[in-house]
Amino acid sequence: MNTGLIPITKYVEITSAFAGGDAGTTREPIARLFTENALAPFGSVLEFSSLENVKAYFGASSSEYDLAQKYFTRISKLNTYPQKISFARYSTDGLAASLTSGITAFNLDTIKKVTQGSLTLSYTALGGSPKNFTASNLDFSSAATLADVASTLQTAISAVITGATVEYSTDLNGGRFVLSAASSEDGSFSAATGDVAELLGWSSATGVINSSGTAILSLSENLDLIVGANDNFYTFAFVNALELDEAAEVSQWNSARNCDFFYVCQIPSAAVNYADFQSKLSNDTGTLLVYDTTNESQFIIPMAAIAAIDFNEEHAVIDLMFQGAEGFTPNNLADKIGGVPRWQVLDNLNINYYAATQYAGTPLAFFQNGVLQGDIASASVYLGAIWLKASIISKCMEVFRLNNAIYANKADAAKLAAACSTIWDKAVKNGSILAGKALSDSEKAAVAQLTGDSSAWSTIESQGFIFQYEVRTKTDTGQKYFWYRLVYAGTDTIHSVEGTNTGISSTAA
């Protein structure tokens, strides 16, 4: 599948980095679930704004609906909830292009009345010309079953589109007619027209599911194609857990994107050696590992929590730690491994989980600990970086599109700077940038190194950021570009309390 879309990085390229540790290191915040379900057309992204729509499309017994139910019913601490969810199909085995009925109600007696039906469609292979097909006088009067109808169609269509098949499938959230090309290749059908197309649900008016074909692709190539077509999400996961080598490939792909997305990686089962699993993904920035012995798809908890964020609100950036999730069963992590409680082993590996503590006899269950693999452990800091990068790209593109030209002078550079400044102000409000943060000595040293100013750290402590910009020239092409550097305080969060209570009394010894 060739999307024909130019990467946004041609126009606005943002690199997110993190500094200050001892080692020195607008899109919607919705979830994207990658599925192998044939109802999700390859080459397109499905977005749903309600649980009922997911149910109507995939069916009440589908894994997609089960996950959407857990996702949409999640209410945040500010009484917000996810507004949308998206699904995209992937395949590492290759797919033949197909047309699948957009309706599921077929009356055989009605179809048998067709004795002079018509159907028109075309198929285009990659680099080829459309193969047009028009059939007239289609006769279904002798069909005893809907499968017979499919057989009649196959005979007619394959005479022109060599190797094409038609079947009546009963396991796609209701019975549907499926037209498939002969081989797995980059190709596509057109939506069909004609009275038979309407009866079969193959027309645009009946919501035909038009799935592009694809040759065999790696997972990374799948992600490149799908995200290249639609990157409207913050978190992504796979409906069915990936095996270790597959998860490692996806994790590395995401890390290379530099703060575009969270990869929410569910460790497939308790039987997997999660230490080995974590070890292979430990260097990948932006990977959030979730341990789940309950088989309840608890990886959806952080995805739903992030999707419920309204970045226009004050104090919007969340800590994934202490996020509640009613309806889920807390993992029992009290057993010991080598004398160490399992929860502590998971903590040491930066693996997340849903578990419970108790106080005053009352169980308290929440998601823990909101940490990532890779260069930056804090999911809150990483979340702020995703929002900042997405917002800057959106704002700069807005400036480019609204102005006749942006001249390479101070006045027009100031236009871009002013646009960016609105993002910094909003970031301080929503918590992506943390004003008033006391910097450590290593963080102060990092600021001095980046800015060349040994006292710049005080500005970051007070207002949360330092913004520098100028017009520069590319050495290879001579083209002018707007260069900026934002050094800001990431949103560290507090996860625990330690204190000493000392009572003063005249009776003290």
Side-chain angles (χ1 to χ4, degrees), residues 207-375:
V208 62
I209 300 171
N210 192 340
S211 182
S212 299
T214 179
I216 294 175
L217 299 174
S218 67
L219 279 168
S220 296
E221 289 169 333
N222 271 271
L223 292 169
D224 282 337
L225 286 171
I226 298 166
V227 173
N230 182 317
D231 64 355
N232 186 38
F233 61 98
Y234 272 31
T235 66
F236 74 95
F238 288 76
V239 172
N240 297 313
L242 299 177
E243 297 301 324
L244 177 53
D245 288 344
E246 295 174 319
E249 180 185 351
V250 172
S251 185
Q252 291 165 15
W253 175 89
N254 184 63
S255 184
R257 297 283 304 197
N258 185 250
C259 295
D260 279 342
F261 315 110
F262 283 89
Y263 169 37
V264 182
C265 177
Q266 62 268 45
I267 298 176
S269 71
V272 172
N273 187 328
Y274 51 82
D276 289 346
F277 205 92
Q278 182 273 343
S279 178
K280 197 157 188 175
L281 279 61
S282 62
N283 294 322
D284 300 332
T285 301
T287 294
L288 190 149
L289 282 174
V290 181
Y291 180 80
D292 177 12
T293 63
T294 67
N295 295 317
E296 292 178 342
S297 301
Q298 294 181 352
F299 68 90
I300 204 70
I301 296 173
M303 302 179 80
I306 291 172
I309 296 173
D310 181 355
F311 284 98
N312 293 311
E313 295 297 323
E314 190 170 354
H315 215 275
V317 171
I318 64 171
D319 187 349
L320 291 180
M321 180 75 165
F322 303 114
Q323 295 293 326
E326 293 185 8
F328 288 94
T329 305
N331 287 277
N332 183 351
L333 305 176
D335 59 314
K336 294 188 176 182
I337 302 172
V340 180
R342 185 180 296 268
W343 61 266
Q344 189 171 330
V345 173
L346 297 174
D347 287 355
N348 292 338
L349 295 173
N350 275 11
I351 296 177
N352 301 271
Y353 51 85
Y354 181 68
T357 184
Q358 70 83 30
Y359 182 70
T362 301
L364 302 172
F366 46 85
F367 190 79
Q368 306 176 49
N369 289 300
V371 288
L372 305 173
Q373 304 300 310
D375 292 337

Side-chain angles (χ1 to χ4, degrees), residues 406-468:
I406 300 297
Y407 299 144
N409 59 19
K410 290 184 178 180
D412 275 22
K415 292 180 182 179
L416 281 167
C420 288
S421 293
T422 65
I423 301 298
W424 319 149
D425 294 340
K426 190 173 181 179
V428 171
K429 176 184 176 182
N430 68 27
S432 296
I433 293 176
L434 187 58
K437 175 181 176 179
L439 302 183
S440 67
D441 289 341
S442 63
E443 290 170 333
K444 291 177 182 178
V447 172
Q449 183 179 15
L450 287 168
T451 62
D453 182 352
S454 60
S455 62
W457 61 267
S458 62
T459 302
I460 292 181
E461 278 197 339
S462 61
Q463 74 175 24
F465 66 93
I466 292 175
F467 174 45
Q468 302 166 307

Side-chain angles (χ1 to χ4, degrees), residues 121-134:
L121 56 80
S122 68
Y123 174 74
T124 305
L126 179 65
S129 300
K131 294 182 179 179
N132 299 314
F133 170 80
T134 299

Side-chain angles (χ1 to χ4, degrees), residues 22-45:
D22 293 333
T25 88
T26 263
R27 306 179 316 269
E28 294 174 286
I30 64 174
R32 168 75 51 83
L33 294 174
F34 290 95
T35 180
E36 296 177 282
N37 193 318
L39 286 175
F42 187 81
S44 302
V45 171

Side-chain angles (χ1 to χ4, degrees), residues 89-102:
R89 189 179 182 182
Y90 75 99
S91 174
T92 55
D93 297 325
L95 292 170
S98 64
L99 289 181
T100 301
S101 302

